[in-house]
Amino acid sequence: MALTIVAALAIFVTLAFFRASITSWVLAIVVIVPVVAITASFSDDVLMVIGVALFLFIVFFGIPLVRRNVVSAVTFKIFRKVLPQISATEQEAIDAGTVWWDGELFSGNPDWDKLLAFPKCGLSDREQAFLDNEVEQLCALLNDWDITHNRADLSPEAWQFIKDKGFFDMIIPMRYGGLEFSAQAHSAVVSKVASRSGTAAVTVMVPNSLGPAELLLHYGSEEQKEKYLPRLAKGLEIPCFALTGPFAGSDAGAIPDYGIVCHGEFAGRQNVLGIRLTWEKRYITLAPAATLLGLAFKLYDPERLLGGETSRGITLALIPTDTPGVQIGRRHFPLNSAFLNGPTQGKDVFIPMDYIIGGTLRVGEGWRMLMECLAAGRSISLPASSMGGMKLCARACGAYGRVRKQFKMPIGKFEGVEEPLARIGAHTYMVDAARRFTALAIDLGEKPSVISAIIKYHSTERCRIVINDAMDVHGGKGISLGPGNYLARFYQQMPVAITVEGANILTRTLMIFGQGAIRAHPYVLKEIAAVNDHDHQRALHQFDEALFGHITFALSNAARSLVFGLTGGRGVVVPEGTETSRYYQQMTRFSAAFALSADVAMAALGGSLKRREKISARLGDVLSLLYLCSATLKRFEDDGRPAGDLPLLHWAMQDALYNIQQAFDGVIRNFPNVLVRLLLRALVFPLGRCLAPPSDHNGHQIATLLMEPGPARDRLTAGIYIPDDEQDAVGALEAALASTLSCEPLQIRLQEARKAGKLNALEELLRIVEARDQGIVTADETVQLERDYALRRKVIMVDDFAPEQLRAATKSP
């Protein structure tokens, strides 16, 4: 009888914690067997003690009223003491934006059907026409060597074309004269322009990212919208936005720039209520040529002219640059990049109150406004520009690896070169999938703050890997600057993308997991909100619900992590598809392990987790890679599951899953608490680390794919500018690849004739003529071979200069 009571109570304990879910019934069955086995030999007295203990446990944890006023009340007090202080700017960053697919990944049990149910990525007919016509025409106007070496700027023709054709107004609604493009179209335009010129891409993307137009659309008064948006749409205004200064970079909330509310003279009028501004900003793109300056500053009202507090917080204003006292014009020179970027200053510059974006109602809301808009802009601009460069590298490296020969073999067929080619192809495939998926989120109305940090970090970091690999594949061709080099400027300017819109070190170590753990976790934000609620009874009730929901969530993920660790995720119901089913199962396993590890880290480290940046970074890596994998599987499905893309899919997924495994291992090995280390290792890796990186054969398949024209290569590099002109470096490379493949049978014929002693000329062109004269090749084939030689030579050769040309180039800008 006592044994039956103990068994029943054990079941009730399990059900109480898991709220009669399917998990609870499974665990109840798992619990009852060892309970019965262990307690079968106990005396009735011992069983009764155990029964009483279980009964009390049920009373204190299973009855909401008792639990709330005893367990939760004590925990509530402790939680309030240990919760780290969150600054106002941190709180606004947390509150900004929305939770999207990152919430599913934090759940420990992502709904894969929901992932695949999102709409397919794509452009409207109007957007595609713009890409095929206006963007194509702009790219044809761009000569990156002339831009970066001779002019240090776009040509006047390119500037005018950008203004006239609406490249500055992609996000502005049509009712104001803008193009009103989707985020996907915006991304596609920037990506294509970036494949031709980084300078032009930055020039186009900045006005459509975080800047005056975006801020006016969301927060501007109707009067401000009517005044400025049509002028921005027509290219009559060149906008910039100034946030960063010498003493406030990544810590933008610490900006020292300030404005004092006062009365002053403006435009001949006396006693105008306004702001006297002082600022010093740097790294401001388009500032040297801007006509409209967006400015972030801290506003003070010492005379309380606006009423309320004297310190009003970060505020945003829109200031015409011809306002007296505004200083612009000087330029920075970021790593030989020619996009306009420079400082701006002002000392005691007086502006009226209606220059504040949104008017006086928006005083002090600047930081929230910036955080909300940054999520959208950061989701598009840098991922798109990175993708343009990555696709160019993928297409160029495949062609160059096939055309360039050493030791009588195309260099791309050497296994040592196949390795970087595989990385180039797979990283491009995965990042492009994430770029498209994230742009889709924006079009669905999301402002994904955590995801925007993920895509910014990983698109630029993987782009850095790709351009480094591309330079290695090209060797001397890559390091010799000149009109014939299509990689070097991209390589030089890569650190700019790494640094801007949230430096990558900061993004990885503080932002991705730091914001995600609070923002995307299903319970943490609710617990924090309850602790900060001044109504004690309401706070306690909300905290109790969140706390025990959190405990249930954590225990469920612990059990699922262990079971899936033992099975490798097998048995998890996932979307059909033999090529991808195991990936979905492994990701479900790692999602549960991630949710568990995040909870353990927050519980064990508390406020100190904020300073444990390496652990936070590794957990962020797991979340990031789960997101990239989700986007990659979504892409494969949306593209129709093409068999030709499987090498790219397999390499990208296997590499990401392997790195998730390594990131988990790094978290566990470096966790400061030994017991926690042992617990996590047992639950996450009960059978050890079993995943391996992609195979050499998989890499060989990708290298072959890149070196052979075909649908898979075209899909991978779709959307970049490919010139038809054989005098253009990229156009010549494309022509050389086609020529090399078509001339291969002829080259084999010449080699055989040479081995037979029929051809004796030492130079290739002379051997071709000799072969023609001997009837080995026809006259038409001779022309074909001579053209092939000329194309290969153009591709292989590097630029050279007269000494005086280089001396002129090294003069200070």
Side-chain angles (χ1 to χ4, degrees):
M1 182 64 181
L3 179 60
T4 303
I5 293 173
V6 169
L9 288 171
I11 292 175
F12 283 127
V13 167
T14 307
L15 295 180
F17 256 112
F18 290 91
R19 301 183 180 185
S21 65
I22 293 175
T23 302
S24 69
W25 286 106
V26 173
L27 286 176
I29 295 170
V30 172
V31 167
I32 190 62
V33 174
V35 166
V36 171
I38 292 170
T39 60
S41 60
F42 290 179
S43 67
D44 285 349
D45 290 341
V46 173
L47 289 173
M48 190 57 67
V49 171
I50 295 174
V52 170
L54 290 173
F55 177 76
L56 291 174
F57 186 89
I58 291 174
V59 169
F60 282 105
F61 288 90
I63 301 175
L65 182 63
V66 177
R67 183 187 67 206
R68 185 164 54 247
N69 290 289
V70 179
V71 180
S72 295
V74 173
T75 310
F76 183 79
K77 292 178 182 178
I78 297 172
F79 198 86
R80 180 169 275 175
K81 288 181 180 178
V82 301
L83 185 70
Q85 286 294 110
I86 298 177
S87 68
T89 53
E90 286 177 318
Q91 187 63 54
E92 288 182 328
I94 290 170
D95 292 340
T98 59
V99 176
W100 190 52
W101 186 249
D102 44 332
E104 287 289 328
L105 298 175
F106 251 102
S107 74
N109 189 22
D111 184 347
W112 301 118
D113 290 332
K114 179 180 177 181
L115 172 74
L116 300 183
F118 286 125
K120 290 184 179 181
C121 301
L123 307 182
S124 69
D125 292 341
R126 183 173 65 91
E127 292 166 341
Q128 188 63 54
F130 186 84
L131 203 66
D132 294 340
N133 294 286
E134 284 85 349
V135 180
E136 191 81 6
Q137 294 167 34
L138 173 60
C139 289
L141 285 174
L142 302 172
N143 180 322
D144 202 48
W145 176 250
D146 180 56
I147 291 168
T148 58
H149 183 76
N150 298 325
R151 298 179 184 274
D153 195 0
L154 298 174
S155 67
E157 295 79 11
W159 267 110
Q160 197 59 48
F161 189 87
I162 287 170
K163 294 176 182 178
D164 292 344
K165 299 300 181 179
F167 283 83
F168 283 167
D169 61 51
M170 288 188 283
I171 65 170
I172 296 176
M174 285 188 281
R175 68 177 182 272
Y176 296 112
L179 293 174
E180 198 173 350
F181 278 174
S182 66
Q184 295 173 77
H186 176 186
S187 176
V189 170
V190 172
S191 184
K192 187 167 186 173
V193 175
S195 71
R196 186 62 170 171
S197 166
T199 298
V202 172
T203 303
V204 167
M205 76 187 192
V206 166
N208 292 287
S209 184
L210 176 60
E214 178 86 359
L215 293 165
L216 283 171
L217 282 171
H218 292 289
Y219 310 108
S221 66
E222 286 304 315
E223 182 181 356
Q224 290 171 334
K225 292 177 183 178
E226 293 292 343
K227 178 178 180 180
Y228 287 117
L229 290 178
R231 292 183 58 79
L232 288 166
K234 294 176 183 177
L236 300 176
E237 302 280 5
I238 298 178
C240 71
F241 188 81
L243 174 62
T244 303
F247 297 100
S250 297
D251 184 14
I255 54 175
D257 314 287
Y258 63 91
I260 306 296
V261 179
C262 61
H263 289 93
E265 180 183 350
F266 186 80
R269 293 179 290 134
Q270 303 295 323
N271 203 36
V272 174
L273 181 63
I275 306 168
R276 196 166 300 282
L277 285 165
T278 295
W279 73 89
E280 183 183 20
K281 305 287 191 179
R282 63 178 182 179
Y283 308 148
I284 311 306
T285 299
L286 296 185
T291 61
L292 201 57
L293 169 67
L295 187 70
F297 58 92
K298 288 182 177 177
L299 182 64
Y300 298 93
D301 184 12
E303 299 179 39
R304 300 182 188 272
L305 298 175
L306 301 178
E309 301 294 327
T310 57
S311 179
R312 302 303 299 267
I314 294 175
T315 301
L316 310 182
L318 202 55
I319 308 169
T321 56
D322 59 2
T323 301
V326 175
Q327 298 177 40
I328 60 167
R330 294 189 63 80
R331 293 180 60 178
H332 300 309
F333 193 39
L335 294 175
N336 278 335
S337 186
F339 66 87
L340 299 183
N341 182 274
T344 174
Q345 302 90 21
K347 177 70 173 176
D348 293 332
V349 177
F350 186 80
I351 63 170
M353 294 301 294
D354 59 10
Y355 277 18
I356 295 175
I357 296 176
T360 54
L361 293 176
R362 295 291 183 181
V363 164
E365 296 185 11
W367 188 246
R368 180 179 60 82
M369 293 158 63
L370 290 173
M371 289 300 98
E372 290 178 350
C373 289
L374 182 61
R378 189 168 53 185
S379 296
I380 298 171
S381 299
L382 288 169
S385 59
S386 297
M387 184 43 53
M390 292 173 77
K391 287 185 175 183
L392 173 64
C393 287
R395 198 166 183 98
C397 286
Y400 190 79
R402 190 65 187 79
V403 172
R404 177 66 164 152
K405 293 184 179 180
Q406 290 289 276
F407 306 103
K408 299 181 181 179
M409 186 168 74
I411 62 170
K413 294 188 176 183
F414 286 88
E415 288 194 355
V417 178
E418 282 185 348
E419 282 189 338
L421 286 177
R423 287 193 295 268
I424 290 169
H427 285 325
T428 300
Y429 183 80
M430 177 169 267
V431 172
D432 196 31
R435 174 192 68 86
R436 290 160 51 178
F437 190 45
T438 308
L440 174 65
I442 303 300
D443 286 332
L444 293 175
E446 302 290 340
K447 293 183 178 180
S449 53
V450 175
I451 286 174
S452 71
I454 290 173
I455 187 64
K456 186 274 171 178
Y457 174 80
H458 282 276
S459 64
T460 54
E461 284 295 336
R462 288 170 185 252
C463 185
R464 174 155 59 180
I465 293 170
V466 164
I467 184 58
N468 284 341
D469 280 336
M471 292 291 284
D472 287 347
V473 170
H474 280 71
K477 171 75 174 177
I479 64 173
S480 299
L481 282 170
N485 192 322
Y486 38 79
L487 294 178
R489 292 303 195 202
F490 183 35
Y491 171 78
Q492 284 181 312
Q493 296 160 17
M494 191 64 237
V496 177
I498 297 291
T499 302
V500 301
E501 292 193 12
N504 277 11
I505 291 176
L506 171 75
T507 300
R508 176 174 178 261
T509 57
L510 294 179
M511 294 178 65
I512 294 175
F513 180 74
Q515 284 190 18
I518 298 174
R519 195 74 181 84
H521 193 286
Y523 294 103
V524 169
L525 195 58
K526 295 176 183 178
E527 291 166 337
I528 293 174
V531 168
N532 291 321
D533 192 335
H534 296 297
D535 185 323
H536 182 73
Q537 285 303 315
R538 182 177 60 195
L540 185 59
H541 190 278
Q542 292 175 345
F543 182 78
D544 174 73
E545 285 293 313
L547 175 64
F548 280 88
H550 194 160
I551 293 172
T552 301
F553 175 75
L555 291 175
S556 173
N557 281 315
R560 297 173 74 252
S561 180
L562 175 60
V563 172
F564 295 160
L566 291 170
T567 65
R570 290 177 177 83
V572 176
V573 178
V574 296
E576 295 180 358
T578 55
E579 307 96 339
T580 58
S581 59
R582 285 293 296 134
Y583 295 139
Y584 286 111
Q585 290 174 338
Q586 289 165 334
M587 288 170 64
T588 300
R589 172 204 170 183
F590 282 137
S591 176
F594 169 70
L596 168 68
S597 301
D599 278 330
V600 169
M602 288 187 283
L605 298 177
S608 68
L609 179 58
K610 192 174 181 180
R611 299 185 297 275
R612 297 275 185 177
E613 295 173 18
K614 295 174 185 176
I615 289 177
S616 178
R618 294 185 183 103
L619 289 169
D621 290 342
V622 174
L623 176 61
S624 297
L625 291 169
L626 286 171
Y627 179 75
L628 294 181
C629 286
S630 301
T632 302
L633 291 172
K634 165 75 171 161
R635 171 187 179 157
F636 183 69
E637 296 291 339
D638 286 355
D639 288 350
R641 306 170 64 85
D645 290 359
L646 282 173
L648 298 164
L649 174 77
H650 288 319
W651 200 103
M653 292 298 298
Q654 290 168 22
D655 176 70
L657 290 169
Y658 174 76
N659 282 304
I660 288 174
Q661 174 183 262
Q662 299 306 103
F664 271 127
D665 183 61
V667 170
I668 294 168
R669 282 190 297 106
N670 291 282
F671 212 89
N673 187 299
V674 176
L675 293 177
V676 173
R677 285 206 300 268
L678 294 174
L679 175 66
L680 279 179
R681 190 164 295 282
L683 293 175
V684 176
F685 296 124
L687 299 179
R689 289 172 289 153
C690 304
L691 298 182
S695 68
D696 291 346
H697 177 66
N698 192 177
H700 168 76
Q701 291 176 311
I702 295 175
T704 302
L705 179 154
L706 291 180
M707 290 189 290
E708 294 180 358
R713 182 173 183 261
D714 289 340
R715 277 192 299 272
L716 180 66
T717 60
I720 65 171
Y721 177 70
I722 305 173
D724 296 327
D725 184 5
E726 292 181 6
Q727 298 307 308
D728 181 276
V730 175
L733 184 57
E734 282 289 303
L737 174 62
S739 176
T740 294
L741 295 174
S742 65
C743 287
E744 270 190 349
L746 301 179
Q747 292 288 359
I748 292 172
R749 199 187 306 170
L750 293 182
Q751 290 172 9
E752 291 174 348
R754 194 177 183 191
K755 286 181 182 178
K758 296 178 181 180
L759 301 178
N760 299 309
L762 298 179
E763 297 182 20
E764 184 174 351
L765 284 176
L766 295 178
R767 282 197 301 275
I768 293 171
V769 173
E770 191 178 7
R772 181 200 61 193
D773 293 344
Q774 295 186 30
I776 297 172
V777 294
T778 66
D780 287 344
E781 290 171 337
T782 299
V783 173
Q784 187 179 353
L785 285 166
E786 288 174 339
R787 175 177 176 271
D788 180 64
Y789 173 82
L791 286 171
R792 284 188 288 112
R793 177 177 172 79
K794 181 172 179 58
V795 165
I796 293 166
M797 294 300 290
V798 300
D799 298 288
D800 52 62
F801 305 90
E804 57 271 19
Q805 289 177 292
L806 294 181
R807 283 195 292 271
T810 56
K811 290 181 179 179
S812 299

